[in-house]
Amino acid sequence: MTGEQILIALGSMDDTLLELCENYRTPRRTTWKTLAAAACFALALLAGGAAALYHARIPVRPEPGVSQTQAGETAAVTQTQAEDETDVSVIFPPDSQIAPPSASAEKPPETAAATSARNGEANLYEGQIDGRSGGDAADPDEAPAQETDALFRKAPITTKYPSLAWQGRTYTSRGNSDPSDKVQKTALGTAELTGFDGKHRTKVQVYSVGGVSQAAALAVQFADSDRYYTYICASFAPATLGAYLDAFSFWDNAAFTRVSGCSRKYQATIYPAPQTQTLQRLFDRGAPLANVGEYDCPQDMTIDCTVPILGVRGSVFGVSETGYLQCRLTDSTVIYYVGPERAKAFLDTVDAGEATHLVPTTAALPPAEETTRSLREEA
Amino acid sequence: MEDREIVKLYWDMDERAIGATDETYGAYCRAVSVRIVHIREDAEECVNDAYLRLWNTIPPQCPAFLRTYLGRIVRNLSLDRARRLHAQKRGGGELTLALEELSECVPDLRDVEQTVENAELGKALNAFAATLPQRDAVLFTLRYFYLYSVQDCAERCGMRENAARVALHRIRKKLRQTLEQEDFSI
């Protein structure tokens, strides 16, 4: 493995962390100028205190017209005031039942750094070894924690609770899904979801979706909400393409909308949705699982479809001339090997048809009311 | 314009979406790209490519945080371009071209394996970042995701440059240990 591979792999960093970085505010930092001013002020106070103490101890000479007794009383009062400011043990003698405030038992233990500083040993690496700069005054984790809270409050409910753990599988949320019509009446049970911030928790009812395998997707209802959301198992990748599509009752729930060219050969060309027969010739039921994971390219054409119950809309399948079919019904890209003959036949058939237009417009797409509605509801 | 409104434009396939994105995040995208490719014209191309990618991926994607989603695309495209430019400088145009042409002959399954390995590595890196204290995680991301200079990272994290350098060194050491434990050969 090389550093370059790590650099590339870092491209899939978590969105929450990236957002945190963007909103990260530096903790308030005390500059040396401020520190110097504070030190001068403290010195001035000390000097003032010392001067007062010094003057109080000077024997007072009786002024002309003032008796010795009065002068002695004045000096005693001044001395007591000075001692009040400097030595609390005078007010709180050692055998007193009331402890002085500064002699509290909760005084924090002296740190090694403070001890060495007091002993005159300068710690040259302080601020380097522990990664803190000497000037930091505020807790650096406070500000980001507030940012995370703000992000959490702002996020839609399915972003707040992105995953569901159910019977050993992890399912991820689909915010714009609408499985209401197909949700089974009886709940499978209750689950507790944890927010992306790791702090918030909520209980939800878990349902199965009619015709959809529980291993592939589940419906979730949050407390105080009539709406259902689909959570899809990200790691769902059965051995054949047929099993993959059957698990989602794909042919019953999906509607194809268009095909888009995305390689150099077909780029920027948009084709109308192909006929079902053409698609079924490509979607070989027995096609074996080739791999699972992000697989951006090569793909020559993408096939767009909508599956409302799963919240899926857009380019769900990718076809490459080399015979791979990429399926993105779940959060993972699941790749089946349909063979170059089927793939090539499909690409040729679609390409032979008339391209509708070169720039996408709303004309080739179904109305987006559902999406708009769900976005509005989440807002 | 709010993220939600821009995303809605993309979902409605409204071409104003690109203009709104550029107006809101254009400067940010160019800043991300210039930091990687160093040439303004190249950065401009990367940003335009990123808009096209955004158009193609929304829908089906519905990013909750558009800025980070777009930033990731710009970063990855810029990195690709920088690698290509670097390879051209190093090996000369024809050699690079020949290698690129020959790489098309390598069976695609290898690409798949490589991509899967990268995805696994990505997951491991995410898990690693989650174990770091917040400021270290931010520092790590700023330096190695957004490719900020150490000086800029330090400034944004409220640290001295030297302290940031040492903290990054410690993070790298920890990352190496983590990757070794997870059987990623280094």
Side-chain angles (χ1 to χ4, degrees):
Chain A
M1 182 186 302
T2 60
E4 191 175 320
Q5 269 178 287
I6 297 179
L7 202 63
I8 294 165
L10 274 167
S12 59
M13 286 294 272
D14 191 41
D15 271 353
T16 317
L17 179 60
L18 299 184
E19 189 65 15
L20 182 68
C21 280
E22 294 295 341
N23 292 299
Y24 192 80
R25 295 282 174 274
T26 41
R28 196 166 54 84
R29 196 171 170 180
T30 312
T31 61
W32 285 109
K33 280 182 184 172
T34 320
L35 277 179
C40 289
F41 183 67
L43 273 176
L45 272 182
L46 271 176
L53 193 63
Y54 176 74
H55 285 298
R57 287 182 189 281
I58 293 172
V60 181
R61 279 186 196 164
E63 288 176 17
V66 179
S67 70
Q68 183 73 32
T69 318
Q70 281 174 324
E73 280 171 1
T74 313
V77 168
T78 316
Q79 185 171 0
T80 310
Q81 282 172 348
E83 281 172 356
D84 281 353
E85 288 169 12
T86 54
D87 188 5
V88 287
S89 65
V90 175
I91 308 166
F92 298 96
D95 57 348
S96 167
Q97 294 296 314
I98 307 164
S102 60
S104 160
E106 289 175 8
K107 184 181 176 185
E110 193 173 31
T111 60
T115 311
S116 56
R118 187 167 46 79
N119 295 337
E121 300 163 15
N123 183 356
L124 295 176
Y125 300 102
E126 191 183 0
Q128 292 182 17
I129 288 173
D130 64 2
R132 281 173 300 181
S133 59
D136 291 355
D139 178 4
D141 288 344
E142 264 179 31
Q146 285 167 1
E147 294 294 342
T148 311
D149 284 346
L151 285 177
F152 190 86
R153 280 197 300 276
K154 210 166 61 172
I157 188 86
T158 46
T159 308
K160 283 178 182 170
Y161 300 100
S163 63
L164 159 75
W166 184 259
Q167 295 183 344
R169 296 189 191 94
T170 303
Y171 299 78
T172 50
S173 62
R174 282 300 173 97
N176 47 343
S177 55
D178 186 11
S180 319
D181 297 341
K182 300 215 171 183
V183 170
Q184 300 297 292
K185 283 180 182 166
T186 318
L188 296 172
T190 309
E192 189 177 64
L193 306 188
T194 306
F196 72 75
D197 61 346
K199 287 190 292 187
H200 291 79
R201 285 185 165 72
T202 187
K203 289 213 167 159
V204 294
Q205 294 284 324
V206 181
Y207 296 84
S208 64
V209 183
V212 176
S213 162
Q214 287 178 26
L218 293 167
V220 155
Q221 187 181 31
F222 288 85
D224 308 326
S225 168
D226 296 334
R227 199 172 157 191
Y228 298 90
Y229 294 94
T230 306
Y231 277 63
I232 299 183
C233 181
S235 57
F236 183 70
T240 62
L241 177 59
Y244 180 82
L245 297 175
D246 288 348
F248 294 104
S249 288
F250 180 74
W251 296 105
D252 296 336
N253 293 319
F256 289 91
T257 52
R258 65 174 187 182
V259 174
S260 314
C262 55
S263 65
R264 193 169 294 173
K265 187 173 171 187
Y266 306 105
Q267 199 163 21
T269 312
I270 298 212
Y271 305 93
Q275 292 181 350
T276 314
Q277 288 172 337
T278 313
L279 287 162
Q280 282 176 343
R281 275 201 296 274
L282 171 71
F283 286 73
D284 172 23
R285 291 188 57 80
L289 179 66
N291 228 317
V292 182
E294 289 298 322
Y295 189 58
D296 281 345
C297 63
Q299 57 183 11
D300 293 286
M301 281 188 191
T302 57
I303 306 168
D304 288 19
C305 67
T306 56
V307 190
I309 64 161
L310 300 178
V312 169
R313 185 186 163 116
S315 52
V316 174
F317 299 98
V319 189
S320 74
E321 269 188 352
T322 46
Y324 291 97
L325 178 69
Q326 302 164 41
C327 309
R328 290 180 281 267
L329 285 170
T330 68
D331 279 355
S332 302
T333 303
V334 183
I335 304 151
Y336 292 95
Y337 186 69
V338 294
E341 296 82 17
R342 280 177 190 274
K344 191 80 172 56
F346 175 82
L347 295 171
D348 288 346
T349 309
V350 171
D351 196 34
E354 192 182 347
T356 49
H357 40 74
L358 295 178
V359 179
T361 69
T362 50
L365 290 164
E369 283 85 3
E370 282 178 6
T371 312
T372 314
R373 192 191 66 211
S374 62
L375 284 169
R376 201 180 299 126
E377 277 173 13
E378 280 183 11
Chain B
M1 194 181 271
E2 290 281 316
D3 278 7
R4 190 169 293 278
E5 293 168 274
I6 300 175
V7 171
K8 189 177 164 302
L9 287 176
Y10 279 103
W11 273 83
D12 293 343
M13 289 297 201
D14 188 330
E15 286 169 35
R16 283 176 302 166
I18 304 279
T21 310
D22 191 53
E23 196 176 303
T24 314
Y25 295 119
Y28 161 76
C29 290
R30 284 176 196 96
V32 169
S33 188
V34 160
R35 216 161 33 234
I36 299 169
V37 294
H38 302 297
I39 300 167
R40 192 160 294 278
E41 288 75 20
D42 284 337
E44 195 62 41
E45 278 190 43
C46 288
V47 173
N48 286 335
D49 288 351
Y51 292 157
L52 180 64
R53 182 76 67 91
L54 203 62
W55 179 269
N56 287 332
T57 53
I58 306 177
Q61 300 290 333
C62 185
F65 307 116
L66 185 63
R67 181 170 58 171
T68 49
Y69 184 78
L70 183 59
R72 182 203 307 282
I73 295 175
V74 172
R75 183 255 189 200
N76 292 344
L77 288 173
S78 305
L79 211 56
D80 276 350
R81 180 171 285 263
R83 284 166 63 207
R84 280 205 303 274
L85 289 173
H86 182 65
Q88 269 177 5
K89 275 183 195 166
R90 194 177 50 203
E94 284 311 311
L95 176 63
T96 313
L97 276 178
L99 282 173
E100 266 184 19
E101 283 162 16
L102 284 173
S103 68
E104 288 172 11
C105 308
V106 180
D108 283 328
L109 206 55
R110 176 61 206 145
D111 280 354
V112 176
E113 283 167 11
Q114 187 65 56
T115 314
V116 170
E117 197 184 327
N118 281 350
E120 290 298 318
L121 180 59
K123 280 181 197 165
L125 290 170
N126 267 320
F128 168 74
T131 63
L132 294 173
Q134 224 157 25
R135 190 167 67 174
D136 281 0
V138 170
L139 189 63
F140 178 69
T141 312
L142 287 176
R143 177 76 182 123
Y144 299 114
F145 183 89
Y146 287 111
L147 305 181
Y148 274 89
S149 67
V150 177
Q151 192 183 3
D152 289 344
C153 291
E155 200 172 302
R156 287 191 60 152
C157 289
M159 303 166 83
R160 291 200 193 116
E161 188 178 341
N162 210 17
R165 221 174 267 284
V166 174
L168 282 168
H169 174 72
R170 292 170 69 213
I171 294 169
R172 285 197 300 271
K173 201 172 158 188
K174 203 170 160 187
L175 175 62
R176 186 189 173 93
Q177 285 167 358
T178 309
L179 292 179
E180 276 172 353
Q181 276 168 9
E182 300 207 359
D183 285 341
F184 285 101
S185 52
I186 299 169

